[in-house]
Amino acid sequence: MDLIRRSAWGAPATSPAPSLLSAQGVTVHWLGAAWTPGAHSACLSKVAAIRKQHLADTKNDYVDIAYNLITCPHGRVI
Ligand SMILES: [Zn+2]
């Protein structure tokens, strides 16, 4: 697995979100439309933009990006 750490896309090294002690399931979310990033750097920019969008979401009161892991078309895990 090619894991891309948070610092690679401009997020703080650790998340302020509480850690999960257990999980009851998995939710898979997709962007909802085809997206062709080209270079992998575009994936990192997209993830940073998603985090910014989540932090601006006052309805859900997110403290960080609302995903545990993201995979990109280059086969990397962010
Ligand atoms: Zn990528």
Side-chain angles (χ1 to χ4, degrees), residues 53-55 57 60-66:
Q53 182 181 20
H54 287 177
L55 289 175
D57 182 342
N60 289 300
D61 203 25
Y62 294 128
V63 297
D64 201 353
I65 192 166

Side-chain angles (χ1 to χ4, degrees), residues 3-67:
L3 179 65
I4 308 299
R5 301 217 173 261
R6 295 169 56 91
S7 59
W9 50 276
T14 58
S15 173
S19 297
L20 293 176
L21 299 177
S22 65
Q24 297 180 346
V26 174
T27 299
V28 177
H29 178 94
W30 70 297
L31 291 176
W35 180 65
T36 305
H40 179 66
S41 60
C43 301
L44 302 180
S45 296
K46 184 71 170 179
V47 172
I50 291 170
R51 181 175 187 266
K52 185 176 180 180
Q53 182 181 20
H54 287 177
L55 289 175
D57 182 342
T58 57
K59 180 181 173 191
N60 289 300
D61 203 25
Y62 294 128
V63 297
D64 201 353
I65 192 166
Y67 307 129

